[in-house]
Every structure is written in structure tokens, then in C-alpha cells.
Amino acid sequence: MTRIAIAGFQHETNTFAPDATTLEQFVNPGAWPALTRGADIFTVFDGLNIPISGFIRACRHELVPVLWAMAEPGGYVTDEAFDTITGDIVEGIAQAAPDAVYLDLHGAMVTRAYPDAEAEILRRIRARIGPDLPVAVSLDLHGNLSPAFFELASVVTIYRTYPHTDFAETGARAAALLERAMAAPLFGAYRQGDFLTPITAQTTDHSPARELYAALPGQDAVSVDMAMGFPPADIPDCGPSIFAYADTQVAADSAADDMLARLAAAEPLFDARLVPADQAVRQAMAMQGPVLIADPQDNPGAGGTSDTTGILRALIAAGAPDAVLSMLHDPAAAAAAHQAGIGARIGIALGGGHRQYSEPVHATVVVESLSDGKFTCSGPMFGGAQADLGPIAGLRLDGTGIRVVVGSTRCQNLDQEFFRVAGIEPAEHAIICVKSAVHFMADYKRITPSVLFATAPGANPCDLSTIPYTQLRTGVRRG
């Protein structure tokens, strides 16, 4: 029977984020599954909407599970984390002596030594298993992929939705494409786009990304996929890329060229939909609620610190009568609330842990709820996933209707449970503020169609003209 080794190593690296991503963050990632080894992968990922889960369900061959690890997006991955996890994956695959390999990767990992980290993972694997063994890879829609990566992978599939509701589906497509590649030769084609788009403009809920992804696979190809790229990464291969596979090289090239032309034609249509924070709050207060305000520039799912106070200050300045915000990363505030107890009225400094983006908000708050931070996600992206974010507190600014959920682990709010863990039902409030860029839409659009993308300083600039790039390829334009 055919034996396929399976492994995963995911990270989306924001090279402008202030804090490095350490090995401990992969071991205990909070809302994501913890680092998992061997046969435990079958148990941990059973039923989850994760690419490796979809691959496991769809694959008809004997599977040899090696290791899976993921950390919340952040700054450069440390050498210790990269070398340790990659080394374990390479050794596990070599010991398995498989007939093929499947990798659940992201596509936007960066270390100080390797700006093209996924290609380096494949180089190290190829050095042990040889150049010809089939290697299938599933990737995030925000991957920054290189020509070298394309040459090292046998076949590639990429998420086609943003919010990424098709994690498992993409893994299943990788299983089917690998099966096809093992049965008969496939020819591949790769193209790079020459412009960057802000992540808030990339959502497939809106044009033009909706129409671009609806056009896949197109032509006479067996498979066509496109990564939009992850803009806050100062590397040469930052930006969109296209992967096409077909029975002939002519068909693969034709499909890739067609998709590249569609992407180029869509360039002027991408809209980041950004509004200054104070304006967003005033707009929301004038609208029929609930209205959702996203804080994309402090999105921890893109490397944001999740502790900036720009949106909170805008709510306070406008006198918002009914607003909730989750989740502000502030372990000290959460600890102080737990020490004081429910019902306590305490003076506290909220957020502002990274002064280059914001200052703390000094306020008197009422402790309305406390939690150990353990909950089960229920939304379309991560339904069934077990979160463990450490001590959490629900705080109300005294004398106001503004409530803030403070937590001990930096994590993107992409599920309504990030409020419910603090006893807050988001749909019951006029203004809902989330530390997220787009992923929140998968769950929160079920309670409101009204969404504003507010700008306040943070580590994930969505106005790409403000990013001090030094390593982009010549000719790459910023959307």
C-alpha cells in the first residue's frame, strides 16, 4: 500500500511586528491546536476545519503522521523554533520512508536567515528524500510564494476563500491532486503578480476577489490556485502568485497566463475600505445597530500586538453609549481583575503595551465577569476548536456603556465566543469592535451586515504607502 507522510508547520510572519515568534508560541498557541506529534494528529484534528484534517479524511492511502505546529501570526520566527520544528519534520519523514509527502504549510513564514522559509523547509526535506518523491502542499491564500518554492513542490493547493472557511476543503483538494500526480505526470506553471493589495481589500466576500476566485480553476487545467500575498512582509517575493497544473505544459501555461491577466485587470478595483477610527465611531453611532467596527491594523491574525487603544479612545471620546470590544491583550489587567473579583471597582491601565502604537487608557472599571479563557469556538472557521487563552476579564468603563474584554494570550477575534467567554452576547450591543481584519466576517456577518474598517496605529498597516519596504522586487506596485 502507498504510504504518505503528513506534517504541518504554519506561520504568517509580519516582518514589521515588534516581537519575535518563539518555539513556546508553537507549543502553546492559544486558540489553535497545540504542537501535535505522531498518531495524536488523527485524534486532535478529527472533525476540525484545518487543512490536514481535510487531507486525512480524503486520502485513500496509509498515512504516517509526523508533526503539526502553528503559532499566531507575529514577528520573525526565531532560529530555534524554525530549526527545531523543521528538523523534527524532516527526520520524521525520513524515518517513515514514504512513497509521497503532504505538508500543511502557510506560505508566508519568514526567519532572519530565510526570507523564503517554506522553500527552505522543502529544500531540507528534499535533501533527505530526494528530488523525485511527490510532495503535495496546501497553502494559505496569503502566502508569499517564490519560484524556488514552486520548483521544490510537486503540486500545490491554496485556500480560495477569505475569510478562510475552506481550510479542510483545501487539504482534501491536495489529496486529490496528489493522487492525480502519482497516477500520471502533471505539468506545472507558476506566475507572480506585480502589485500588492491590503488584506482588507482581499476578502472574497467582495469584488474583485470574489470574481477572481470564482474563475478558478478555468481553462483546461487540472488545478489552478492563486495566493493574494501577505503585504506586511519585507521580502522579495511578497505579493500574489499563481499555480497551475495540467496534462500538458501548454495547458498549464495557458491557465496560469489567463489567471494572471484577470488579476492584472482587477488591480484598480481593490478597495481597502479604510475609515479613520474617530470617523468610524461617529458613523456607527448614527447607524442602526448592531454595527461592527474592525481594527485591522491591530489584528493579531496579521502580527498585530492586539493591545493598541486607538479604537477604545475613539469610543470614549465620542461618548459611545453601548459598545463592546474584544479582545485587548493585557495580561496584567486580566490578572488585576481576577485578584479584585466580580463586582469590584478598580483603577487600571488598559492596553498600550507597545508605546510606538498607543498609550494605555487609564480608567476606573467595574469587573463584570471572569473566565479561565477556555472555550469552544462555534463559528464557521474554527467551529469545534478548543481555545485556551488564560485568564480573561470582562470590564465596563465606570459610568459608561463601553465594555472591554481583556485577555492573557494574543489571539484574533474571529468567533463570537471571544465575547461570550466574558458573558457578553455581541448581537445585543449597538457597536461591536473586534481586533481582526477580515476573518471575523465569517461568524459576525450572521448577526450584522454593517461593517466598518477603522484605522488606528498598529503593527499591520493597511495603507501600504506607509510601509517602509526595502526588499521588494523591482517594479512591484503597492495597492
Side-chain angles (χ1 to χ4, degrees):
M1 177 179 284
T2 302
R3 287 165 51 84
I4 299 178
I6 60 173
F9 187 12
Q10 287 215 12
H11 192 258
E12 184 176 71
T13 305
N14 180 335
T15 64
F16 302 98
D19 303 318
T21 304
T22 65
L23 180 59
E24 173 58 25
Q25 290 170 273
F26 287 95
V27 174
N28 296 298
W32 292 86
L35 189 150
T36 309
R37 298 178 183 273
D40 286 345
I41 287 174
F42 294 137
T43 303
V44 170
F45 292 91
D46 183 33
L48 293 184
N49 183 27
I50 299 286
I52 199 169
S53 306
F55 186 93
I56 291 169
R57 288 195 292 271
C59 188
R60 302 183 302 174
H61 302 289
E62 179 186 357
L63 300 179
V64 184
V66 177
L67 178 153
W68 189 95
M70 192 276 180
E72 187 75 7
Y76 287 98
V77 174
T78 64
D79 291 342
E80 178 193 22
F82 182 77
D83 290 338
T84 298
I85 296 172
T86 302
D88 287 352
I89 289 174
V90 171
E91 188 59 33
I93 291 173
Q95 289 182 7
D99 301 297
V101 175
Y102 162 70
L103 299 173
D104 178 4
L105 304 181
H106 185 284
M109 187 188 303
V110 183
T111 75
R112 293 285 184 182
Y114 302 108
D116 191 4
E118 275 84 4
E120 179 60 21
I121 293 169
L122 287 180
R123 286 189 196 98
R124 295 186 187 188
I125 291 172
R126 289 289 186 198
R128 293 294 297 275
I129 67 173
D132 300 322
L133 203 70
V135 177
V137 186
S138 62
L139 296 168
D140 194 287
L141 179 146
H142 295 114
N144 293 320
L145 290 317
S146 69
F149 174 85
F150 168 72
E151 294 295 336
L152 289 161
S154 303
V155 291
V156 169
T157 61
I158 302 172
Y159 311 159
R160 293 175 175 176
T161 63
Y162 180 36
H164 305 328
T165 54
D166 64 334
F167 288 126
E169 180 183 329
T170 304
R173 288 195 293 112
L177 193 57
L178 178 59
E179 183 80 23
R180 175 65 180 76
M182 291 190 295
L186 276 179
F187 296 84
Y190 166 85
R191 303 288 186 270
Q192 279 185 312
D194 56 6
F195 66 93
L196 310 181
T197 59
I199 59 174
T200 55
Q202 295 180 11
T203 172
T204 54
D205 281 4
H206 296 153
S207 296
R210 176 172 53 207
E211 290 75 23
L212 286 171
Y213 281 90
L216 298 173
Q219 299 292 315
D220 296 321
V222 173
S223 174
V224 183
D225 274 305
M226 178 174 65
M228 288 301 301
F230 182 59
D234 193 13
I235 58 174
D237 292 300
C238 184
S241 54
I242 295 162
F243 295 75
Y245 299 94
D247 293 325
T248 68
Q249 190 63 56
V250 169
D253 286 333
S254 176
D257 288 339
D258 174 71
M259 202 63 216
L260 185 64
R262 291 173 185 267
L263 177 65
E267 180 179 359
L269 304 178
F270 285 99
D271 181 2
R273 301 175 178 83
L274 302 176
V275 180
D278 56 352
Q279 180 181 332
V281 171
R282 290 196 302 270
Q283 258 184 264
M285 290 173 62
M287 297 166 66
Q288 181 69 37
V291 179
L292 198 143
I293 299 178
D295 188 3
Q297 298 197 147
D298 194 33
N299 170 27
T305 57
S306 197
D307 63 0
T308 69
T309 58
I311 301 295
L312 179 57
R313 288 183 181 280
L315 292 170
I316 295 169
D322 180 18
V324 292
L325 184 154
S326 177
M327 181 173 292
L328 188 71
H329 181 223
D330 193 333
H338 275 255
Q339 182 175 4
I342 292 176
R345 187 170 174 271
I346 58 174
I348 205 165
L350 293 171
H354 293 77
R355 302 300 174 87
Q356 63 267 52
Y357 307 123
S358 69
E359 294 289 325
V361 168
H362 296 274
T364 299
V365 300
V366 177
V367 180
E368 293 191 329
S369 66
L370 298 172
S371 168
D372 62 4
K374 295 179 181 179
F375 60 92
T376 302
C377 294
S378 60
M381 278 188 65
F382 275 171
Q386 304 296 313
D388 185 356
L389 304 184
I392 284 173
L395 310 176
R396 178 174 56 81
L397 274 63
D398 196 26
T400 79
I402 299 171
R403 291 172 170 83
V404 180
V405 181
V406 295
S408 301
T409 300
R410 188 177 60 91
C411 189
Q412 178 178 190
N413 182 342
L414 43 67
D415 195 293
Q416 293 181 60
E417 301 301 331
F418 279 72
F419 281 106
R420 292 172 180 149
V421 69
I424 295 171
E425 186 57 49
E428 296 175 356
H429 296 275
I431 299 176
I432 307 164
C433 300
V434 295
K435 297 281 188 179
S436 180
V438 167
H439 281 325
F440 69 90
M441 292 169 62
D443 196 14
Y444 288 90
K445 70 182 178 183
R446 301 194 294 185
I447 60 173
T448 178
S450 303
V451 176
L452 300 171
F453 297 90
T455 56
N460 177 44
C462 293
D463 177 355
L464 305 189
S465 66
T466 67
I467 299 181
Y469 293 109
T470 61
Q471 301 298 319
L472 294 182
R473 302 186 311 281
T474 301
V476 173
R477 299 180 297 282
R478 311 180 194 191

